Amino acid sequence: MRHAPFSFMDQETGDLAIRNLRTNENTRLTHEGTWDDPIHFALTNVISPDGKQIAYSWYNDKKTYDLKLIDLGNKTPVTLYSADADIEIYPVSWFSDGKRIIVQKFKKLNDKYTWQLSSVNINTRQKTGIINNAFMMYFFEQS
């Protein structure tokens, strides 16, 4: 029986990494993360249903977010989507066919964020909206 790894952001480097739960060994998958200016690091990530790919959000040196995909066989990241400066994008889950990723997009508009749930086809990179134009408001206690 094949065991899927556990994926996470390496706190020391900011890189995407996996942990073999049998051997307790960590392996970095990316080698670009840094906490030095300009910082860039992995964020939310989800493993594909077959355990062979990981979709992840990457905060890059342009201070924007990319949706990336890495194949655990060749470990070469591919950018599926590069967000504009006012948009954050995070993978949430995979469709069971392993061909599409469900993602959340947040876009800042003044003091509010719009929220969109979309799917991204990993082969064509086509984005399809699932839920659009939902508004979120953040309230902060003023001192």
Side-chain angles (χ1 to χ4, degrees), residues 5-9 16-19 29 45-47 54-55:
F6 173 78
S7 59
F8 64 99
M9 185 254 297
L16 179 68
I18 55 173
R19 182 171 185 86
L29 299 175
N45 58 84
V46 289
I47 299 174
I54 300 174

Side-chain angles (χ1 to χ4, degrees), residues 7 27 31 35 63 72 78 81 85-86 100 116 118 123-124 129 137:
S7 59
T27 303
H31 300 279
W35 302 118
K63 299 183 180 179
L72 296 179
V78 174
Y81 178 83
D86 58 349
R100 295 172 293 158
Q116 180 183 47
S118 302
N123 297 315
T124 66
M137 296 177 63

Side-chain angles (χ1 to χ4, degrees), residues 14-137:
D15 284 309
L16 179 68
I18 55 173
R19 182 171 185 86
N20 182 318
L21 297 177
R22 282 184 167 182
T23 65
N24 292 325
E25 179 181 65
N26 295 336
T27 303
R28 285 187 7 216
L29 299 175
T30 61
H31 300 279
E32 306 168 52
T34 183
W35 302 118
D36 295 328
D37 198 29
I39 62 172
H40 35 282
F41 53 91
L43 288 152
T44 307
N45 58 84
V46 289
I47 299 174
S48 64
D50 65 5
K52 294 180 180 179
Q53 298 177 96
I54 300 174
Y56 63 101
S57 184
W58 185 262
Y59 185 78
N60 62 46
D61 55 3
K62 295 180 281 185
K63 299 183 180 179
T64 61
Y65 294 81
D66 295 323
L67 175 65
K68 294 195 171 212
L69 181 70
I70 193 163
D71 183 296
L72 296 179
N74 68 23
K75 298 183 177 121
T76 302
V78 174
T79 301
L80 298 176
Y81 178 83
S82 292
D84 293 332
D86 58 349
I87 294 175
E88 298 174 19
I89 187 164
Y90 306 101
V92 176
S93 185
W94 286 78
F95 279 82
S96 60
D97 64 8
K99 296 178 184 175
R100 295 172 293 158
I101 304 162
I102 297 173
V103 298
Q104 295 184 84
K105 285 174 58 177
F106 296 91
K107 181 173 182 171
K108 187 170 185 175
L109 294 170
N110 301 318
D111 62 343
K112 300 176 186 172
Y113 283 85
T114 60
W115 174 77
Q116 180 183 47
L117 196 61
S118 302
S119 69
V120 177
N121 184 302
I122 64 169
N123 297 315
T124 66
R125 299 182 187 176
Q126 179 182 357
K127 291 170 282 308
T128 305
I130 298 172
I131 298 174
N132 295 304
N133 298 322
F135 280 91
M136 297 179 65
M137 296 177 63

